[in-house]
Amino acid sequence: MTGSKLIYLCLLLFSTFLAINGHIGDFDEVWRRRAQEADEWALQAYKPDPMNVTLAFAKQTRETLEDIKEAKKLATNETRRQLKGDKKYNGPCLVTNPIDRCWRCQPNWADNRQRLADCAMGFAKGTTGGKAGDIYIVTDNSDDSSDPKPGTLRYGVIQKEPLWIIFAKSMNIRLTQELIVQSDKTIDGRGVNVHIANGAGIMLQYVKNVIIHGLHIHDIHEGNGGLIRDAVDHIGQRTKSDGDGISIFGSSNIWVDHVSMWRCYDGLVDAVEGSTAVTISNSHFTDHNEVMLFGASDSSSIDQRMQITVAFNHFGKRLIQRMPRCRWGFIHVVNNDYTHWNMYAIGGSQHPTIISQGNRFIAPPDQFKKEVTKRDYSPESVWQQWTWRSQGDLFMNGAFFVESGDPDWTKKHIDLFDGIASASGDDVTWITRFSGALNCKPGQAC
């Protein structure tokens, strides 16, 4: 082999390593070990019968729906007038979905923050974040990516032990480089107003058991890369980051809840490289093009084990596409409110299974953009075999969902599916009423 060919082969192998391992700037043994550990965690988190999870989710939603409807009836006329307005609401605490029912209307929530860890549903059920650890308080909004100071967010997330991370006060944090989070962490923004903005985003790479709750994440840019401390005992070379708000890479048991997100350079929330046991819930998304990408490429077959729940979210103003866009995997999209899109809402390629239940879809005025769904890179003869089913969805302003796969699919899975539907699409406006970061105050119900 000539010298030039050898150099070319080395560069090819190196570029392949970077593509697979995501922004790792050299052949780092620490990251190799993390990748192996993450693969084992993901295999443990994977559910061989995913319909069992969607069944449990739908059942719990339905069991609490009567309580939710009763709370809605008890709201006074004045309260109902307030609910017709914007996100500002100062009335009594009203439970609108089963996740929030678990914790939100308890006035002592601030004294028992870690109760939140018992509330995950969907594929991320059982995710406890930093429940087993101490409370870490962020007091300093500065960020040094190579030598984080105690009291900063970055210093907390690089610790190896479980931590429940909270904030001493409202603050804006501009991340100088992507925030690389260790396993067994909760980032809990309740009680204050925390913005991760005008810098890099959050990276969950080869980790497990992470909760992100109550943050505003917006105006995220690419990180330039360089030496970034990713653990108390390790600093590594990183390439340029993608500019995602939250990037989930080869990770499992991840729960993103009650976040408000807009205007990120790439995706708002992306999950790739075999990430599984993920739930994205109660969040509010606006002002973005490519909202969510699940599965990095059609050739990345590791994403066959991807299992993600998207529930109780509001996909709002000035969104264009990918809510989500899916490759491979099993995606449960349940009781979300789709009030805006400019191209399509749910799309995909490489035969993902997508179960859409009890969502509300309001199509844009453009007569050519009424379809909720979009398939890529396959002829109809191929994508007609993919399982994309719509059950109990509410379609408005001409919206329509093109189903595919066996029309009797649910009947054939009766032992797993049990005929239990999610809450009706008619209830979605109420269910998602308090999506996004909440205005919680200690001593009061959120």
Side-chain angles (χ1 to χ4, degrees):
M1 181 179 292
T2 65
S4 60
K5 288 183 177 179
L6 180 61
I7 292 172
Y8 173 79
L9 178 60
C10 290
L11 289 173
L12 179 62
L13 291 172
F14 181 66
S15 63
T16 302
F17 176 84
L18 293 182
I20 294 173
N21 290 279
H23 312 301
I24 300 169
D26 53 26
F27 292 93
D28 190 319
E29 289 301 325
V30 171
W31 281 106
R32 285 180 184 271
R33 187 182 69 250
R34 290 180 188 173
Q36 292 172 351
E37 292 173 346
D39 191 62
E40 294 173 2
W41 297 332
L43 291 175
Q44 293 173 14
Y46 177 80
K47 306 294 190 302
D49 292 317
M51 285 306 300
N52 285 328
V53 178
T54 61
L55 167 60
F57 192 105
K59 183 177 181 181
Q60 190 172 352
T61 301
R62 190 154 191 173
E63 286 175 348
T64 60
L65 188 59
E66 291 306 315
D67 291 341
I68 291 168
K69 287 183 176 180
E70 187 62 27
K72 188 176 180 181
K73 291 178 182 177
L74 291 174
T76 64
N77 289 334
E78 181 180 357
T79 298
R80 281 194 290 268
R81 285 195 295 271
Q82 285 178 298
L83 288 173
K84 292 178 181 178
D86 59 19
K87 288 289 180 181
K88 296 179 181 179
Y89 170 70
N90 298 311
C93 184
L94 299 172
V95 172
T96 64
N97 66 63
I99 290 179
D100 282 0
R101 184 176 187 259
C102 179
W103 71 272
R104 191 168 63 79
C105 287
Q106 299 178 0
N108 66 337
W109 65 267
D111 298 323
N112 189 19
R113 284 178 175 271
Q114 292 169 324
R115 178 182 174 83
L116 179 69
D118 301 327
C119 302
M121 292 179 61
F123 284 117
K125 183 176 177 60
T127 299
T128 58
K131 182 180 181 180
D134 294 332
I135 299 286
Y136 172 91
I137 304 175
V138 178
T139 57
D140 185 342
N141 72 335
S142 67
D143 182 54
D144 186 333
S145 59
S146 60
D147 187 20
K149 293 191 298 183
T152 62
L153 176 59
R154 192 178 296 271
Y155 187 87
V157 301
I158 65 171
Q159 304 304 309
K160 290 193 169 181
E161 69 271 17
L163 286 177
W164 198 279
I165 300 170
I166 66 174
F167 299 82
K169 58 185 178 182
S170 296
M171 61 181 68
N172 297 327
I173 299 175
R174 187 184 73 82
L175 298 171
T176 56
Q177 300 280 9
E178 58 185 341
L179 185 75
I180 303 175
V181 181
Q182 286 281 311
S183 295
D184 305 311
K185 299 292 183 292
T186 297
I187 304 176
D188 179 1
R190 289 175 296 175
V192 290
N193 196 355
V194 177
H195 290 252
I196 308 295
N198 301 304
I202 298 173
M203 168 61 84
L204 310 178
Q205 185 168 13
Y206 299 140
V207 295
K208 63 174 176 62
N209 197 34
V210 175
I211 299 172
I212 298 176
H213 183 99
L215 302 179
H216 301 82
I217 303 172
H218 58 94
D219 296 290
I220 299 302
H221 309 310
E222 298 171 297
N224 292 326
L227 286 174
I228 301 177
R229 184 161 294 281
D230 50 68
V232 290
D233 59 354
H234 183 260
I235 185 169
Q237 185 73 29
R238 305 281 293 187
T239 61
K240 178 183 283 190
S241 62
D242 290 337
D244 296 328
I246 299 174
S247 180
I248 306 169
F249 190 106
S251 296
S252 56
N253 286 107
I254 307 298
W255 182 26
V256 178
D257 189 53
H258 277 295
V259 298
S260 296
M261 302 185 72
W262 63 94
R263 283 198 305 265
C264 296
Y265 181 82
D266 193 16
L268 294 184
V269 183
D270 284 5
V272 300
E273 287 303 311
S275 293
T276 195
V278 175
T279 295
I280 301 165
S281 57
N282 285 313
S283 295
H284 189 212
F285 307 105
T286 63
D287 298 280
H288 196 74
N289 178 8
E290 298 174 337
V291 181
M292 294 178 182
L293 176 65
F294 298 159
S297 72
D298 285 359
S299 61
S300 186
S301 60
I302 192 174
D303 286 319
Q304 291 179 88
R305 70 185 183 201
M306 181 170 58
Q307 297 175 330
I308 299 177
T309 302
V310 180
F312 311 147
N313 303 289
H314 181 194
F315 293 92
K317 295 180 179 179
R318 295 174 294 277
L319 297 179
I320 297 176
Q321 60 178 318
R322 298 190 177 183
M323 303 172 231
R325 189 212 189 281
C326 315
R327 296 180 173 102
W328 308 87
F330 188 107
I331 315 301
H332 187 207
V333 183
V334 55
N335 286 146
N336 300 281
D337 199 9
Y338 290 85
T339 57
H340 295 80
W341 69 80
N342 192 42
M343 289 177 63
Y344 66 91
I346 298 173
S349 58
Q350 200 54 270
H351 62 82
T353 296
I354 300 175
I355 307 300
S356 174
Q357 294 182 310
N359 301 287
R360 182 175 75 155
F361 297 102
I362 304 177
D366 191 328
Q367 63 175 330
F368 299 106
K369 299 174 181 177
K370 302 295 186 182
E371 184 177 346
V372 170
T373 50
K374 182 177 186 291
R375 278 91 165 171
D376 285 319
Y377 312 131
S378 293
E380 184 173 353
S381 60
V382 172
W383 63 250
Q384 277 289 357
Q385 307 306 310
W386 304 352
T387 301
W388 291 27
R389 310 307 301 173
S390 169
Q391 298 175 330
D393 291 326
L394 175 64
F395 300 102
M396 302 179 66
N397 200 32
F400 65 98
F401 187 112
V402 177
E403 293 187 283
S404 58
D406 185 350
D408 295 324
W409 188 81
T410 55
K411 294 179 182 178
K412 293 177 180 178
H413 292 79
I414 191 67
D415 291 338
L416 295 175
F417 201 69
D418 202 27
I420 299 177
S422 60
S424 169
D426 293 322
D427 294 311
V428 161
T429 302
W430 180 256
I431 288 171
T432 63
R433 176 60 190 83
F434 298 101
S435 61
L438 296 165
N439 184 26
C440 297
K441 296 179 181 178
Q444 302 177 22
C446 285

